Amino acid sequence: MDSGLVIRSTTSSRGADGVRLGDVNGDGLVDITSPWEQGGQVRAYLNPGAVRLRERWPAVTVGEVGDPEDSFFVDLDGDGALDVVSSCEGKTRSMFVHWAPENPAQILDPQAWRTMAITASSGAAKWMFAFDMQVDGVAGVDIVAGSKDDGGAISWFEAPEDPRNADGWEWHPLYDAGWVMTLRPHDFDGDGDQDILATDRRESRRGTLWLENPGPENAAESRWAEHRIGPVDEYEAMHNVIADLDGDGLDDVLVAAKADPIRYHRRRANTPPEWETHLIEMPPNTGGGKAVEVGDIDLDGQPDMVVTCEHADEGKTGVFWMSYGETPTESHWSAQSISGPEGFIFDLVQLVDLDRDGDLDVITLEEKGPYFAEGFQGEELGVVWYENPSR
């Protein structure tokens, strides 16, 4: 399969750095939120529907903050409107909530959005990634967040009765980290509550791990038990994904690795969780692994991998997909380019049938960000989707 059609949704700022999905206006279509790190904007992009899907999408800046690294949709105050939470690193070092207007007609009006810093997060760490989870069963939905460098940790912020009370959010550190990449909720031990999957990119405990939820009554009392997936301090773990790659009914974990093979952590047993690690080679003439997603790209009934890369310079490919032959534990998978040589640093990737034609398209982003200062020329692709030509 040749590379798909490139659809660019926006390049109106600089340093797009993450794509997360949701339906912000309740029309049943997939919308996107993305932070622009160098531009200092957190944006939402509204799916315009089938007729205008290949045009630049309507967008709104939901907040202007410093150094935004991640953003996601969530209705934090239960008013039926999806808000946006952003995580900021650099000198800003804060988590922000961008409150959505209750009136859907005002969604594209930036003046109708209100930005609030979570007091307990301010100055505490360089925040990198977050998601929503009901942790303690009290009040509204809570926020799980990861950070890096000095003060790096996986933590959760306990929601107050009034989530719009910036001072009411309480911070609970769970794990000391070097550089948190992806965080995901998942019930690893089958006890009915959500544990946390994480990849830690730096320092002596880098690798893949999950933190065991002790239950709502004990969630705030102590650090959560740490369980490692695969080796410790062997590779620079980037973004992760959970998928049953071999179809045995057990959820596996795949991790992109910087300048290294992809780690396929195959789950061997359910209780207690046991893992075996297989290395999947990166194909030649690609950048270094950044993120991975799993889905049936060519509609042959077998799961494939879509991989994004950073530092895809000198004609290298930054987005490609791979398929295995007899078994997913093989070290060599066949690979085909999606992006071609265009683009330099890609990041999170999402698979969704955006045009509703029956196959999975690719949503990601490309940034040059601070590398413009090193002489890179040309416009960033920004937030982009690649249309799967399978159908």
Side-chain angles (χ1 to χ4, degrees):
M1 183 177 74
D2 295 328
S3 60
L5 177 66
V6 180
I7 308 296
R8 303 180 187 184
S9 55
T10 182
T11 53
S12 59
S13 189
R14 288 186 59 186
D17 209 356
V19 285
R20 311 282 284 276
L21 309 180
D23 181 6
V24 71
N25 56 354
D27 63 357
L29 301 177
V30 173
D31 304 314
I32 301 170
T33 180
S34 179
W36 292 75
E37 185 175 2
Q38 279 69 50
Q41 295 181 340
V42 180
R43 312 205 80 206
Y45 307 101
L46 273 63
N47 189 323
V51 174
R52 297 177 53 207
L53 195 62
R54 292 164 180 79
E55 302 174 9
R56 292 184 184 268
W57 292 14
V60 58
T61 298
V62 305
E64 295 193 20
V65 294
D67 315 297
E69 179 69 22
D70 172 62
S71 62
F72 68 95
F73 292 119
V74 57
D75 181 7
L76 274 187
D77 55 2
D79 65 354
L82 280 185
D83 312 301
V84 176
V85 173
S86 63
S87 305
C88 297
E89 57 158 336
K91 296 180 180 179
T92 305
R93 298 168 63 97
S94 186
M95 302 283 299
F96 293 90
V97 181
H98 310 282
W99 299 106
E102 292 186 20
N103 183 355
Q106 294 181 299
I107 284 178
L108 287 174
D109 178 6
Q111 302 302 318
W113 291 76
R114 297 289 181 266
T115 295
M116 179 193 84
I118 297 176
T119 304
S121 73
S122 296
K126 296 177 181 177
W127 301 101
M128 301 299 293
F129 195 94
F131 68 88
D132 61 284
M133 185 168 84
Q134 177 52 266
V135 178
D136 57 358
V138 178
V141 65
D142 308 300
I143 298 172
V144 176
S147 53
K148 73 173 185 178
D149 295 343
D150 182 31
I154 298 171
S155 312
W156 69 282
F157 291 90
E158 180 181 348
E161 289 293 334
D162 177 10
R164 290 183 180 249
N165 175 12
D167 296 334
W169 290 81
E170 188 173 350
W171 179 30
H172 302 283
L174 302 177
Y175 164 87
D176 296 328
W179 182 339
V180 174
M181 296 297 286
T182 320
L183 296 171
R184 296 183 189 274
H186 189 75
D187 184 6
F188 280 97
D189 50 6
D191 63 356
D193 56 32
Q194 295 293 294
D195 308 303
I196 300 171
L197 172 68
T199 36
D200 192 352
R201 178 175 175 177
R202 292 278 175 85
E203 309 304 336
S204 61
R205 296 165 68 204
R206 62 182 182 164
T208 308
L209 64 139
W210 64 278
L211 300 179
E212 183 178 350
N213 190 333
E217 65 281 358
N218 299 311
E221 298 303 317
S222 62
R223 302 289 180 108
W224 293 11
E226 170 191 340
H227 303 275
R228 306 303 299 202
I229 300 175
V232 180
D233 196 25
E234 182 180 278
Y235 65 106
E236 191 167 343
M238 306 296 270
H239 292 297
N240 63 58
V241 68
I242 299 170
D244 181 7
L245 196 60
D246 57 0
D248 65 354
L250 300 177
D251 287 326
D252 310 310
V253 174
L254 291 95
V255 182
K258 185 179 177 68
D260 223 3
I262 295 164
R263 262 57 178 185
Y264 168 28
H265 301 298
R266 178 178 176 269
R267 190 160 179 172
R268 297 178 54 195
N270 205 13
T271 306
E274 294 181 4
W275 311 85
E276 62 183 28
T277 299
H278 301 271
L279 304 185
I280 299 174
E281 301 167 357
M282 290 284 285
N285 203 38
T286 63
K290 189 66 177 288
V292 59
E293 263 292 349
V294 173
D296 185 2
I297 298 300
D298 55 358
L299 304 177
D300 67 350
Q302 176 176 294
D304 307 301
M305 274 196 296
V306 173
V307 182
T308 61
C309 302
E310 61 180 11
H311 300 286
D313 54 2
E314 300 178 349
K316 294 177 181 177
T317 293
V319 185
F320 60 91
W321 70 279
M322 298 198 296
S323 60
Y324 64 87
E326 297 297 323
T327 170
T329 60
E330 297 168 351
S331 62
H332 176 77
W333 292 33
S334 62
Q336 299 189 55
S337 175
I338 293 175
S339 66
E342 188 176 15
F344 177 56
I345 294 181
F346 293 87
D347 203 86
L348 283 175
V349 57
Q350 309 283 354
L351 303 184
V352 62
D353 184 6
L354 201 58
D355 52 4
R356 299 188 174 187
D357 65 350
D359 56 28
L360 291 173
D361 306 305
V362 173
I363 302 176
T364 185
L365 57 94
E366 189 270 341
E367 64 165 323
K368 293 181 179 66
Y371 296 95
F372 272 121
E374 299 178 9
F376 284 89
Q377 302 295 321
E379 187 181 46
E380 296 177 342
L381 295 180
V383 180
V384 16
W385 69 283
Y386 295 95
E387 183 179 356
N388 190 335
S390 292
R391 284 185 172 171

